[in-house]
Amino acid sequence: MYWKETMRQMEDIGIGSLVIVALISVFMGAVAAVQFSYQLDGTLVPRWYIGYIVRDLAIIESAPTITCLVLAGKVGSNMAAELGGMRQKEHIDAMEIMGVNTAAYLILPKIIAALFVIPLLVTLSAYIAIGGGYLSTVPVGTLSADEYDRGLRAFFLPFNVTMMYVKAVVFSFILTTVPCFQGYFVTGGNIELGKASTNAVVFSNILILLADYLLAVLLTG
Amino acid sequence: MIKAENIFKSFEGTEVLKGISMEFHPGKTNLIIGRSGAGKTVFLKILVGLIEPSSGKVWYDDVDFFTLNKKQIREIRMKVGMLFQGSALFDSMTVEENVRFPLDMFSKDTLGERKKRVNWCLERVGLTGANDKFPSEISGGMQKRVGIARAIVMEPKYLFCDEPNSGLDPRTALTIDELIQDITYDQNMTTIINTHDMNSVMEIGDNIAYLHLGQLAWTGSKDEVLTSENELLQGFIFASPFLQRLRSAALKEE
């Protein structure tokens, strides 16, 4: 039952978030490429640097952080509402009376599923963002495919990928535990459930940004 | 047997239960009745262990429930079934999956054996063939019956029902009452029902406890309700002029 629930959560979080993650990623990459080409225009910085900047921006920051901020909104509010609804409709009480450890059955599969699936989504996001940068610059003639490719291959540090995964795992933990806490312990009616759902997103986002800063300091210091 | 011993409960300084003691015996339908705000639901939740009392004890046979550790509580809960006011069926699961849920969590039986048990329970509550329907596809009365099937699937010793008839028409309510009573007698369960429904009181109340402002105001059986001189009880059960006339007529007949 726990395995089945974990699989269901993986599908909900992973497959259910593919479209939104793909959409924001392609535009993140595209916007980054367009704006950097604008800023670098007329400077001595070679144009192929755009590929390098888009790659590192995607890997180090936008893929883990922006993706997880968006997932905190989509997945986090969903988790808080689901658990809060179950609390209000006495589903959690019903499980407790059956002898089910409700925290283990309802919360743990969500955390485990997120810890596995969100790093995969973040990886995908990084690839798509890099693809977005390519689409917004190469076909319109801002720079050639070879130049973009040269930028992508330049100054690559494998540790940046490690940093991306560390961030993805930490943010996944935050964006599941905070909403689960808010939803699981909700009391009152629909207004309180709405507040719990909002708090889940707000607190998750704040904690993700705080963790982002701390990880940046720790991992690059 | 379940025994409540001098139960007190306060919420933020407001005393909701004021020293309630009573016993609930197996093979009987025990009803807890009272006006809204009398403390019935809090008392039922204390009995089932969802809320801890401010003071007092709840005994399951010779076991003091609130001194148990988590593992021991789980063992007791394996023997408990509960029907909730809103049925508390899991929306994303079919009727069969809802009823099978406790078995899937705890039973070591094969899937075939579990399905057989589920079918027996569904047949017992008159829902043969409803296995693949979702809760949203069935009526309120059917949802209550699925709730009963789920409550009895683990063959509990203790059955708790919170307002089993709320939102049901009188005919369906009677069917649910009879079903609960039959199951109680057949399986010699200790059944505790929290209800507002006066039909339930007069039809299935083997033992009735009337709570008033957090205190036990009256106990007796359905046969004693009519003749009781307790003004609080009479004011509650025969609240309307119509019911008062019915009571007078019934007393004259006797």
Side-chain angles (χ1 to χ4, degrees):
Chain A
M1 286 297 277
Y2 287 78
W3 174 248
K4 197 176 158 191
E5 181 61 13
T6 307
M7 288 291 113
R8 190 178 77 82
Q9 292 297 333
M10 281 186 178
E11 190 184 330
D12 270 6
I13 299 168
I15 308 293
S17 305
L18 268 179
V19 174
I20 184 77
V21 167
L23 261 177
I24 59 156
S25 303
V26 77
F27 283 107
M28 274 184 328
V31 170
V34 168
Q35 291 193 169
F36 275 108
S37 70
Y38 164 73
Q39 282 183 282
L40 298 181
D41 193 31
T43 67
L44 294 174
V45 180
R47 278 185 303 182
W48 58 264
Y49 261 57
I50 291 169
Y52 156 59
I53 291 168
V54 169
R55 182 202 69 205
D56 272 6
L57 185 72
I59 291 174
I60 297 172
E61 191 57 27
S62 71
T65 310
I66 307 293
T67 301
C68 287
L69 287 173
V70 170
L71 288 178
K74 184 190 175 292
V75 177
S77 63
N78 187 33
M79 283 178 182
E82 181 186 324
L83 288 174
M86 290 185 81
R87 171 69 71 192
Q88 289 183 337
K89 286 154 86 178
E90 297 184 307
H91 291 178
I92 293 179
D93 285 349
M95 286 185 185
E96 289 277 351
I97 286 165
M98 289 173 201
V100 177
N101 181 340
T102 53
Y105 178 70
L106 295 171
I107 297 175
L108 199 61
K110 288 178 171 55
I111 296 173
I112 291 171
L115 289 176
F116 272 97
V117 170
I118 290 177
L120 296 178
L121 284 173
V122 166
T123 309
L124 190 72
S125 168
Y127 276 111
I128 294 175
I130 290 168
Y134 180 93
L135 288 175
S136 68
T137 50
V138 177
V140 296
T142 309
L143 72 167
S144 69
D146 283 344
E147 284 176 311
Y148 193 76
D149 187 49
R150 184 181 170 192
L152 289 183
R153 291 164 184 271
F155 317 120
F156 179 69
L157 289 174
F159 178 71
N160 288 349
V161 178
T162 307
M163 189 152 44
M164 177 180 83
Y165 284 123
V166 170
K167 284 186 175 185
V169 168
V170 172
F171 298 165
S172 305
F173 186 75
I174 291 171
L175 76 86
T176 48
T177 49
V178 173
C180 285
F181 177 84
Q182 292 288 335
Y184 189 79
F185 291 105
V186 75
T187 51
N190 290 340
I191 292 174
E192 285 77 8
L193 182 55
K195 278 182 189 166
S197 196
T198 305
N199 286 344
V201 177
V202 172
F203 294 154
S204 299
N205 282 347
I206 292 169
L207 284 174
I208 285 172
L209 292 171
L210 185 67
D212 190 29
Y213 170 73
L214 291 174
L215 286 172
V217 171
L218 288 170
L219 296 172
T220 61
Chain B
M1 184 198 65
I2 294 176
K3 192 166 107 181
E5 201 177 287
N6 207 21
I7 301 289
F8 283 85
K9 180 67 190 176
S10 302
F11 291 104
E12 293 167 1
T14 307
E15 207 164 47
V16 178
L17 298 178
K18 301 164 187 170
I20 296 180
S21 298
M22 63 175 91
E23 288 184 9
F24 306 97
H25 294 280
K28 304 272 185 199
T29 45
N30 301 278
L31 268 58
I32 301 168
I33 61 171
R35 294 174 63 176
S36 299
K40 302 187 300 296
T41 299
V42 173
F43 184 54
L44 193 79
K45 286 191 171 178
I46 287 173
L47 289 177
V48 81
L50 286 173
I51 298 177
E52 201 164 333
S54 305
S55 68
K57 290 178 177 178
V58 173
W59 297 87
Y60 279 69
D61 294 321
D62 53 353
V63 177
D64 182 356
F65 185 85
F66 289 103
T67 60
L68 301 177
N69 61 35
K70 281 186 177 176
K71 194 181 166 211
Q72 291 166 322
I73 285 176
R74 201 155 295 149
E75 280 166 15
I76 290 277
R77 282 187 167 155
M78 296 291 195
K79 301 174 193 166
V80 171
M82 183 156 179
L83 172 64
F84 284 84
Q85 188 172 356
S87 299
L89 300 179
F90 309 132
D91 310 319
S92 60
M93 296 183 189
T94 62
V95 165
E96 179 179 314
E97 287 167 341
N98 263 286
V99 178
R100 211 178 63 212
F101 184 82
L103 294 172
D104 288 344
M105 292 300 290
F106 302 111
S107 171
K108 290 187 171 71
D109 292 346
T110 63
L111 183 63
E113 288 167 333
R114 280 178 273 153
K115 283 190 171 188
K116 202 172 160 190
R117 173 75 188 152
V118 168
N119 287 334
W120 183 87
C121 290
L122 288 176
E123 191 185 330
R124 187 73 187 77
V125 300
L127 285 177
T128 308
N131 301 47
D132 297 329
K133 292 190 184 306
F134 282 90
S136 59
E137 297 171 341
I138 58 178
S139 68
M142 288 169 84
Q143 287 181 13
K144 295 277 183 183
R145 284 192 272 166
V146 176
I148 294 171
R150 187 176 67 183
I152 63 170
V153 75
M154 295 289 279
E155 298 181 75
K157 273 180 79 177
Y158 315 101
L159 178 65
F160 294 86
C161 304
D162 186 16
E163 304 277 3
N165 296 333
S166 69
L168 300 181
D169 66 84
R171 182 62 249 174
T172 309
L174 193 61
T175 309
I176 297 292
D177 281 344
E178 287 168 354
L179 185 58
I180 293 171
Q181 191 174 44
D182 288 349
I183 290 167
T184 302
Y185 291 166
D186 288 352
Q187 299 181 31
N188 198 36
M189 284 190 292
T190 304
T191 298
I192 302 173
I193 304 169
N194 179 2
T195 187
H196 273 121
D197 190 81
M198 289 311 110
N199 287 330
S200 302
V201 173
M202 302 312 284
E203 291 295 327
I204 63 164
D206 293 332
N207 290 323
I208 301 164
Y210 173 59
L211 298 192
H212 182 72
L213 299 175
Q215 288 179 312
L216 185 59
W218 182 84
T219 56
S221 70
K222 63 184 176 187
D223 301 324
E224 293 165 325
V225 166
L226 206 61
T227 52
S228 166
E229 295 300 323
N230 186 305
E231 286 180 11
L232 289 171
L233 179 76
Q234 296 307 334
F236 170 67
I237 292 192
F238 304 102
S240 71
F242 173 70
L243 288 172
Q244 285 163 12
R245 282 199 298 276
L246 274 184
R247 181 182 179 241
S248 303
L251 286 174
K252 271 180 198 165
E253 219 173 81
E254 278 188 4

